[in-house]
Amino acid sequence: MREQAAGSGIALEEISVGATPTLRFSARQTGLTELRPGNYVYFDRTQLALGAATLDDCALTVLATVVSKPAPDRIILDCGSKTLTNDQARGIVNAAGYGAILAGGRGSPRQIDETLTIERVSEEHATVRVTGGTRLEPGDRVRVVPNHSCTVSNLVDAVRLVDGDQVIDTLPVAARGRIT
């Protein structure tokens, strides 16, 4: 790449590429001086839908509380567009809703609870459609894999690093509110 540009009279000191889905390929290229892989540190549901990550690769989740169960087929969570965003997951496979709720609890293998679909978000709440029943009740907590982790991390003041259910550190989001 650099040689082709030089052959045309263009000197390139830096060759910078960016994109999370293609990082695994870009990292093998020679001559690159910078990699800018967006949400590679977190991954998200869009990366799952693109086939660029597995569920176990997704490091960012939103901890949400069930605040209401107005009907057997509905629960309400305390995470809305101000936390999850209203971005849809785009990719090769269909990914309905505004995030994926993880099944099971501590010690369970990580998997998406396919009986729960976040079908609507207001600013502070998520309406979840329940298919076939749920044991979740008000006060229970769930982890949600967001559709777009970049936006989620920009919407919060801090992220908590956890090991299982134990918080091991809190990091401020340094760029929060710095978009001009």
Side-chain angles (χ1 to χ4, degrees), residues 37 82 120 126:
K82 287 185 176 181
R120 285 191 316 266

Side-chain angles (χ1 to χ4, degrees), residues 79-86 121-124 151-152 155-156:
C79 60
S81 64
K82 287 185 176 181
T83 307
L84 294 177
T85 82
N86 57 5
V121 288
S122 63
E123 288 186 353
E124 290 90 8
T151 309
V152 170
L155 292 171
V156 298

Side-chain angles (χ1 to χ4, degrees), residues 42 59-63 82-83 143 149-162 167 169-177:
Y42 289 138
L60 182 87
T61 60
V62 173
L63 182 62
K82 287 185 176 181
T83 307
R143 290 194 179 278
S149 63
C150 294
T151 309
V152 170
S153 65
N154 187 52
L155 292 171
V156 298
D157 294 325
V159 293
R160 307 237 191 272
L161 304 181
V162 297
V167 175
D169 203 356
T170 299
L171 302 174
V173 177
R176 172 80 165 116

Side-chain angles (χ1 to χ4, degrees), residues 18-89:
T20 295
T22 58
L23 179 68
R24 61 185 173 208
F25 306 111
S26 299
R28 292 186 226 149
Q29 301 299 312
T30 59
L32 298 177
T33 57
E34 179 182 57
L35 299 170
R36 298 171 287 101
N39 70 5
Y40 188 82
V41 68
Y42 289 138
F43 285 120
D44 55 28
R45 198 155 168 244
T46 295
Q47 299 309 314
L48 288 173
L50 290 169
T54 67
L55 187 57
D56 286 335
D57 292 327
C58 295
L60 182 87
T61 60
V62 173
L63 182 62
T65 303
V66 177
V67 294
S68 175
K69 190 174 184 180
D73 65 343
R74 291 276 183 266
I75 60 173
I76 308 297
L77 302 176
D78 66 351
C79 60
S81 64
K82 287 185 176 181
T83 307
L84 294 177
T85 82
N86 57 5
D87 289 353
Q88 293 289 308

